[in-house]
Amino acid sequence: NRRIIHQTSYIPKNLNPIWTLKTKAFFLFQVKAKELFQDIDGLCFEVIDYDAYSANDLMGAVKVSPRFLYKATEERREFRLQPLMSKGSMVNHNVKGKLALRCRRATPYDKEFLKQYKIDAVKEARKDPIKLRGVAMIVKNVGTGGGGYVKTVVEKKRKKETIGTETVVKYKIRPEPDPQRKTQTAWMTKEEIDKESFNESRVWLDAGSGMLAKVFLEIINCKGIPNLDVNVGLDRNKTDAFCKIVYEDCICSTDVIDDCLSPRWMPWTNRAFVLHMTHTSSPLFIGVFDYDSSLHTNVESHDPIGRVNVDLTKLRADTEYLLTYQLYKEGTKISDRKPVNGTITIRLRLEVPDERHLVLSCLQPPPTIYVNDSQKRDFLCVKYTCKGYDNERFDTNVILSYIEELLAYMNLVVYLKDALINLLLWRGNHRVDVRIPVKPSEQNADGADALNDMTMKERLSYLVERYTKKTTILLPIHSMTLFFSAVTLVEKPSLLPSYIFGSIAWLLIAVMGFRHNNPDPWDQPKTFRDIVEILLVGEPLEPPPTITKNQNKKEASAYRKKWADKIKELEKNSVEEKRRAVREAREEAEIDSAEVDLGTESKGGLNLNPLKPFLLPVQKNLGKLLECVRFMKNVMLWEECYFAFWITCACIILGVFSLFIPWTFIVIWSTRLAVWAGCGPWMKLVDIYYYSKIEDLSKSKKSKRMRDLKKSRDNYLNLLKEDVRLKEEEAKKLKAMKAYMFGKYSTHVPVVKTDRNRDVPLHESSAAPYVEKPLSMARAAIEEAGLHNKRERGQKLSGVMIPKHTDSIRSTVMLGKAISNTRKLERGALASSLLNFGGDTNASAYSKIAQIILVAIVASFVGVPMISSAVQWAVKKSFPVIISSIQLAVEEWYPAISSTVQSAVEKSLSLFKSEW
């Protein structure tokens, strides 16, 4: 009705503008259906070229019909710009371009969102602080503590007290004492602090958007961290430590423990987190920082102390881990990671509702996750926690570190050489315990007198121990496999495709076995058998592991030292070979060289900074290449155990399937058809009816043909450009939405393991099966609903126009159940027996159906022929015996039966006659 409803912001110097939330892409249009259809033209969108010093130019317009507005469901529609008469100007009929629109009926969420956005836009224009960016804004868990320098100097952190005849040193509990026991926990000794810090946490922060599993994380303590604060005269100003946790789409922080080089986080502080898993391979990133107050305007970020990358794929569900890691402040070079900045101890536990679903979810591609933050200091902490050093800025040291890392992969030659020697020389690799006969010793002869008093089982065990000895032998399983495979392949070359797939699976399984030869229990991935058991049964058959402190510490140290010595020997030999090769080449050059170099010898280094435009793309491409190399290395070494498992399964299936394909027939007939079709005399017809006509075309026809080819090529390129433009459009809109809802600073969170270094728990770590405390059904339901938990939603958004949070529910209870985990219930409770009925996820149900189908196929192709042949054999063997038995029975019983029947018939006839 010729009323201006909305006007977007202008986008300067762009022929393909994309409007987002920030440039006023959204507007609400409230109208009654009757008024909407009374206006025949509907809505008119005018596209205008903004001019700052003259009148704006109308470029075209789009009229959207009321029918489209009424039925639109936020699908993207493109409209061609049409000429439109404007005041004081002629109609421009040469209008080009399109306008893409989305439309839908506004929900209450949309109305509230845009209302809040207008309020925040006014505040931002006035430079007022915005406390809430959008109705879906998450509440940041900002840690407390971190006092200034004056407070640090004045405030007392420790004191001496006399208890009886002893003088003890007590420390002030930071950031605050227990609210329930303020007097008892205000000051505590070091031993009391250590004991208290290992107690169960009271308050948990529930964060994230995933549904696969829950990660229960507690930050216990840090030890031996460096002092990053400045001391002026007094030794009271020390590091104000806090931890930043990044897992998939959530960011969490602990409280700040000020002025302490060995901070302990108490159970009543912000230290416990329940993180929701979206992908199985997602690492858990923990960074330790020195908190710097916002009063320090010259400080750009909190000082990093170190970071840890926790691998969750090696951990078992329902097991409580107490893990200790070394902290490294990472630099650009590999060698920069050597200095240790203390240790961090965490307590970790996985709660997986359906382990089969967890394994099957790895078949989906990993998502791309970005997290946002509103403060630059916090953003830099998150970026360091996820990636360590900043490899996005141009730095020649980064390029050198990439080259150094690529050269470091040459150390794989040591492992390959050792594996090849063991394989070809039939050295054993599979341990088997056997008992061999030995001459009985006289020391155990006294036990022979007591044989009469023993049971049969005890007597047998005694004789076995007396006359045999247990010995471990190493079987060369891999050498045997290689020998028989090579022999059969030489005789039947058609098995080559099947053996190629089989060799890949064999290699991965062999690497897995090699990894498990490492005596360090913290450096062993999940096995192929464990994952198969999860798919078949739903959980591993072996109970959760129990790992004690310093378990196999000496053996693991000796194992690492052995391989380190081999690598050093290889490096030494390679250096000597290079020197010898250079010396021999120089000697030959002195004899054969006849040319003289007249140029000046170049001395001094070259400054690479002017080459930034050329080297920065090289740096980025090297970074992407190394991420791919690291991922492939992790898959090969079973660090990405789920990916390695599925690749192994795929190779085994393809190898078995390739056995039934007639490769010889396919290769012979393919080559025959290629030779007969491409080299025969009928190719002359192709020359006459195709190529000759193209060569004899006139200039006009050739130019027309080239125009047609260019047109088809342009159409193909336009399709590609359109696809790229749509992706760019969605990315920009989502970026602007997340910048408003979570903050303008964004960083990428790796979902798969692409870190340069692996963090392995120290030997002082431990693991034990987690035993649920028995609860009543009401108490268990309340805890699953989030008792004493604070909720921090993740940053994953879903939706097209105005997206919402993809929020995970706190309790994943199936329909008809009161609670999801019935193991929490008290023993003997009626609910415990009533609630243990099914409730599989879709993936679990599909997996069971696939198992049933697989069993049916195997039974059909293997079991049925075996049963039928067994029945045929049984019938063949038993039929003559049965026939002869029947014949003998007939011969023996026939006279008696016939006489009895005859007498009965005669009596019946006589009786019938007498009655008649």
Side-chain angles (χ1 to χ4, degrees):
N1 292 328
R2 297 182 181 179
R3 290 185 294 110
I4 297 177
I5 299 173
H6 180 71
Q7 180 174 330
T8 68
S9 303
Y10 74 93
I11 299 178
K13 300 178 181 180
N14 197 331
L15 298 180
N16 297 287
I18 298 174
W19 283 272
T20 63
L21 178 68
K22 190 175 182 180
T23 52
K24 302 180 181 179
F26 299 95
F27 71 95
L28 285 172
F29 172 49
Q30 189 170 357
V31 64
K32 296 180 180 179
K34 183 178 180 181
E35 296 177 2
L36 178 65
F37 284 96
Q38 282 178 349
D39 189 357
I40 301 176
D41 293 336
L43 282 181
C44 180
F45 293 83
E46 297 180 354
V47 181
I48 299 171
D49 176 27
Y50 173 79
D51 290 321
Y53 303 104
S54 60
N56 300 332
D57 299 325
L58 179 62
M59 303 180 65
V62 168
K63 291 185 178 181
V64 182
S65 65
R67 183 183 180 85
F68 172 79
L69 296 173
Y70 187 77
K71 291 189 173 183
T73 56
E74 75 179 5
E75 71 273 9
R76 186 180 184 275
R77 286 284 302 273
E78 288 188 353
F79 300 88
R80 287 192 174 276
L81 294 180
Q82 302 294 333
L84 185 69
M85 176 69 74
S86 60
K87 294 182 179 180
S89 64
M90 300 296 293
V91 178
N92 183 14
H93 293 281
N94 190 18
V95 177
K96 295 181 180 180
K98 299 178 182 179
L99 180 66
L101 300 172
R102 291 185 190 272
C103 179
R104 76 165 184 219
R105 296 193 184 184
T107 63
Y109 175 83
D110 299 336
K111 298 176 184 178
E112 185 66 26
F113 183 92
L114 293 178
K115 178 182 178 182
Q116 183 65 40
Y117 177 74
K118 288 182 179 179
I119 297 173
D120 291 342
V122 173
K123 288 183 178 180
E124 191 173 5
R126 294 200 305 245
K127 305 292 184 180
D128 292 342
I130 300 174
K131 295 183 180 180
L132 183 66
R133 288 177 175 261
V135 293
M137 176 63 184
I138 64 172
V139 179
K140 286 287 182 182
N141 176 37
V142 181
T144 59
Y149 178 74
V150 177
K151 181 182 177 182
T152 299
V153 174
V154 174
E155 191 174 17
K156 194 175 182 181
K157 299 296 190 303
R158 67 177 183 175
K159 66 178 182 178
K160 293 182 179 181
E161 284 187 4
T162 302
I163 302 177
T165 58
E166 296 183 359
T167 301
V168 296
V169 179
K170 289 191 174 183
Y171 299 87
K172 185 178 181 181
I173 300 303
R174 288 154 281 178
E176 60 185 2
D178 185 1
Q180 301 176 3
R181 302 176 297 154
K182 288 187 176 181
T183 306
Q184 296 88 339
T185 58
W187 295 83
M188 300 174 70
T189 63
K190 186 177 293 185
E191 292 76 13
E192 291 173 344
I193 292 174
D194 286 337
K195 183 179 178 181
E196 188 73 30
S197 64
F198 284 95
N199 290 339
E200 186 178 354
S201 299
R202 297 183 190 170
V203 180
W204 294 79
L205 179 65
D206 198 271
S209 306
M211 297 288 291
L212 287 179
K214 292 181 180 179
V215 183
F216 292 82
L217 171 68
E218 296 173 87
I219 308 296
I220 304 297
N221 61 52
C222 290
K223 293 181 181 179
I225 60 177
N227 187 10
L228 301 183
D229 282 347
V230 179
N231 287 304
V232 182
L234 295 174
D235 192 20
R236 292 185 180 179
N237 192 22
K238 297 179 181 178
T239 298
D240 306 321
F242 75 98
C243 295
K244 182 78 72 173
I245 297 95
V246 181
Y247 185 68
E248 294 184 341
D249 64 333
C250 60
I251 307 170
C252 306
S253 299
T254 66
D255 286 337
V256 179
I257 308 297
D258 55 328
D259 302 322
C260 187
L261 301 183
S262 293
R264 269 75 168 163
W265 283 268
M266 295 292 109
W268 55 83
T269 61
N270 290 329
R271 72 165 193 178
F273 311 95
V274 182
L275 309 173
H276 293 257
M277 181 184 292
T278 302
H279 195 270
T280 54
S281 296
S282 299
L284 173 62
F285 299 102
I286 303 175
V288 184
F289 299 87
D290 173 29
Y291 182 86
D292 289 321
S293 175
S294 58
L295 298 177
H296 302 159
T297 55
N298 58 335
V299 178
E300 186 181 18
S301 173
H302 303 296
D303 298 326
I305 298 173
R307 61 185 290 268
V308 170
N309 179 356
V310 181
D311 184 7
L312 300 179
T313 58
K314 295 180 181 179
L315 307 184
R316 284 278 299 271
D318 301 325
T319 304
E320 189 173 76
Y321 295 90
L322 190 64
L323 306 176
T324 302
Y325 290 91
Q326 289 182 339
L327 291 173
Y328 300 93
K329 184 178 178 181
E330 295 196 7
T332 54
K333 291 188 177 181
I334 297 176
S335 57
D336 293 343
R337 205 172 186 260
K338 288 183 179 179
V340 179
N341 283 357
T343 61
I344 182 173
T345 301
I346 62 175
R347 190 157 54 202
L348 200 63
R349 177 169 62 90
L350 293 181
E351 186 178 288
V352 184
D354 188 350
E355 292 196 52
R356 185 183 288 113
H357 186 204
L358 187 75
V359 175
L360 293 173
S361 67
C362 195
L363 295 174
Q364 300 176 354
T368 303
I369 298 178
Y370 287 86
V371 291
N372 291 57
D373 213 304
S374 58
Q375 301 294 327
K376 186 176 181 181
R377 289 150 58 95
D378 294 332
F379 157 73
L380 293 176
C381 290
V382 171
K383 192 172 184 179
Y384 175 82
T385 302
C386 293
K387 301 180 180 180
Y389 61 94
D390 187 3
N391 58 355
E392 296 179 1
R393 294 181 179 179
F394 173 71
D395 191 353
T396 54
N397 289 328
V398 174
I399 299 177
L400 294 177
S401 69
Y402 287 160
I403 297 173
E404 183 182 353
E405 183 178 354
L406 288 173
L407 294 176
Y409 285 113
M410 296 300 295
N411 294 337
L412 293 175
V413 176
V414 178
Y415 299 95
L416 294 176
K417 182 180 178 181
D418 184 79
L420 189 62
I421 291 173
N422 293 336
L423 189 65
L424 296 178
L425 300 183
W426 282 66
R427 294 180 179 176
N429 48 45
H430 187 73
R431 296 180 180 273
V432 178
D433 294 333
V434 296
R435 304 194 74 90
I436 59 175
V438 295
K439 184 179 180 181
S441 61
E442 297 180 357
Q443 297 177 356
N444 299 330
D446 298 337
D449 300 335
L451 283 175
N452 297 328
D453 300 333
M454 296 182 183
T455 62
M456 181 60 68
K457 185 176 180 181
E458 293 174 348
R459 191 179 302 175
L460 182 61
S461 62
Y462 170 76
L463 293 175
V464 169
E465 290 292 335
R466 178 171 171 77
Y467 293 98
T468 61
K469 182 178 69 172
K470 184 179 179 181
T471 305
T472 302
I473 62 174
L474 296 176
L475 292 179
I477 299 295
H478 297 306
S479 301
M480 294 165 60
T481 306
L482 176 65
F483 175 71
F484 290 115
S485 301
V487 169
T488 54
L489 184 61
V490 169
E491 300 297 331
K492 293 184 178 181
S494 60
L495 297 176
L496 179 62
S498 178
Y499 278 16
I500 289 175
F501 293 114
S503 62
I504 297 174
W506 173 41
L507 177 63
L508 287 171
I509 293 176
V511 171
M512 180 198 67
F514 170 77
R515 290 292 308 278
H516 275 267
N517 289 335
N518 189 348
D520 188 356
W522 300 110
D523 203 14
Q524 295 179 357
K526 285 184 179 177
T527 62
F528 184 84
R529 186 185 68 179
D530 291 339
I531 304 178
V532 170
E533 290 173 355
I534 290 173
L535 289 176
L536 296 178
V537 185
E539 61 181 3
L541 297 180
E542 293 185 359
T546 299
I547 304 174
T548 59
K549 290 185 178 181
N550 299 322
Q551 181 173 326
N552 299 340
K553 182 177 180 180
K554 294 182 179 179
E555 295 83 353
S557 300
Y559 183 83
R560 284 194 295 268
K561 186 176 182 302
K562 181 186 75 172
W563 285 106
D565 293 341
K566 286 187 177 182
I567 292 173
K568 287 182 180 179
E569 184 179 357
L570 173 69
E571 292 176 351
K572 181 179 178 182
N573 294 336
S574 62
V575 170
E576 291 179 355
E577 289 180 2
K578 287 180 181 179
R579 289 177 179 175
R580 180 172 54 82
V582 170
R583 185 173 62 253
E584 292 176 355
R586 188 183 297 116
E587 292 173 354
E588 294 176 2
E590 290 176 357
I591 298 173
D592 299 334
S593 179
E595 297 183 0
V596 179
D597 186 8
L598 301 179
T600 306
E601 184 180 356
S602 176
K603 296 183 179 180
L606 177 65
N607 187 3
L608 298 179
N609 288 333
L611 301 178
K612 177 181 177 181
F614 306 99
L615 292 181
L616 183 58
V618 175
Q619 175 181 324
K620 292 183 177 180
N621 292 331
L622 275 176
K624 293 179 181 179
L625 173 64
L626 277 174
E627 285 185 356
C628 297
V629 172
R630 293 167 188 166
F631 176 72
M632 290 188 294
K633 180 195 72 173
N634 289 330
V635 171
M636 180 65 67
L637 297 179
W638 285 76
E639 293 295 328
E640 294 282 3
C641 58
Y642 296 111
F643 286 105
F645 168 79
W646 286 116
I647 292 174
T648 304
C649 289
C651 291
I652 292 174
I653 294 172
L654 290 174
V656 173
F657 180 73
S658 299
L659 291 174
F660 301 97
I661 298 177
W663 294 106
T664 305
F665 175 82
I666 293 174
V667 170
I668 291 175
W669 278 99
S670 298
T671 52
R672 284 177 180 174
L673 292 175
V675 170
W676 280 86
C679 303
W682 39 81
M683 292 300 293
K684 182 62 179 176
L685 300 177
V686 178
D687 182 30
I688 295 172
Y689 292 102
Y690 184 72
Y691 276 101
S692 296
K693 289 184 178 181
I694 294 176
E695 293 176 352
D696 296 339
L697 289 176
S698 61
K699 280 188 176 182
S700 60
K701 290 183 177 180
K702 283 184 178 180
S703 61
K704 183 179 181 301
R705 182 173 178 274
M706 293 303 296
R707 285 196 300 270
D708 294 339
L709 291 175
K710 187 177 182 302
K711 185 177 180 181
S712 61
R713 172 71 177 174
D714 292 340
N715 291 335
Y716 171 72
L717 292 178
N718 288 333
L719 290 176
L720 291 180
K721 290 179 181 178
E722 186 67 21
D723 186 48
V724 172
R725 176 172 169 76
L726 289 177
K727 292 180 180 178
E728 181 185 4
E729 180 180 318
E730 296 299 327
K732 284 188 175 182
K733 288 180 176 293
L734 182 61
K735 182 179 180 180
M737 187 67 67
K738 293 189 71 173
Y740 165 67
M741 296 177 67
F742 309 115
K744 63 180 180 180
Y745 299 103
S746 176
T747 185
H748 176 252
V749 179
V751 177
V752 295
K753 302 178 186 66
T754 56
D755 258 23
R756 184 171 58 188
N757 302 291
R758 291 191 305 117
D759 291 312
V760 181
L762 300 178
H763 289 285
E764 56 191 82
S765 305
S766 61
Y770 179 75
V771 180
E772 293 278 0
K773 293 181 179 179
L775 302 172
S776 63
M777 187 175 66
R779 183 70 180 183
I782 291 173
E783 284 199 357
E784 284 193 355
L787 179 67
H788 300 311
N789 285 10
K790 295 183 291 184
R791 179 65 184 146
E792 180 176 320
R793 292 178 290 182
Q795 296 190 14
K796 186 178 180 181
L797 301 176
S798 62
V800 180
M801 294 184 67
I802 300 180
K804 297 181 180 180
H805 279 280
T806 306
D807 206 359
S808 62
I809 56 178
R810 294 190 179 184
S811 181
T812 57
V813 184
M814 299 297 175
L815 184 64
K817 279 190 174 184
I819 62 172
S820 61
N821 190 359
T822 57
R823 288 174 296 182
K824 295 181 179 180
L825 297 179
E826 297 174 346
R827 289 189 177 182
L830 178 63
S832 179
S833 59
L834 293 178
L835 294 174
N836 283 322
F837 57 86
D840 291 331
T841 59
N842 290 336
S844 180
Y846 295 152
S847 175
K848 291 182 178 179
I849 294 172
Q851 292 175 26
I852 294 172
I853 294 173
L854 182 62
V855 171
I857 293 173
V858 172
S860 301
F861 286 93
V862 179
V864 172
M866 291 177 62
I867 294 174
S868 62
S869 61
V871 171
Q872 291 177 3
W873 178 85
V875 170
K876 185 178 179 181
K877 294 292 184 181
S878 60
F879 186 73
V881 178
I882 295 173
I883 295 298
S884 61
S885 301
I886 294 173
Q887 185 177 1
L888 181 62
V890 170
E891 291 176 355
E892 290 180 355
W893 294 96
Y894 179 73
I897 295 173
S898 61
S899 61
T900 304
V901 172
Q902 187 176 0
S903 63
V905 170
E906 290 176 355
K907 289 181 180 180
S908 299
L909 288 174
S910 62
L911 181 63
F912 177 74
K913 289 179 180 180
S914 62
E915 292 292 332
W916 177 259

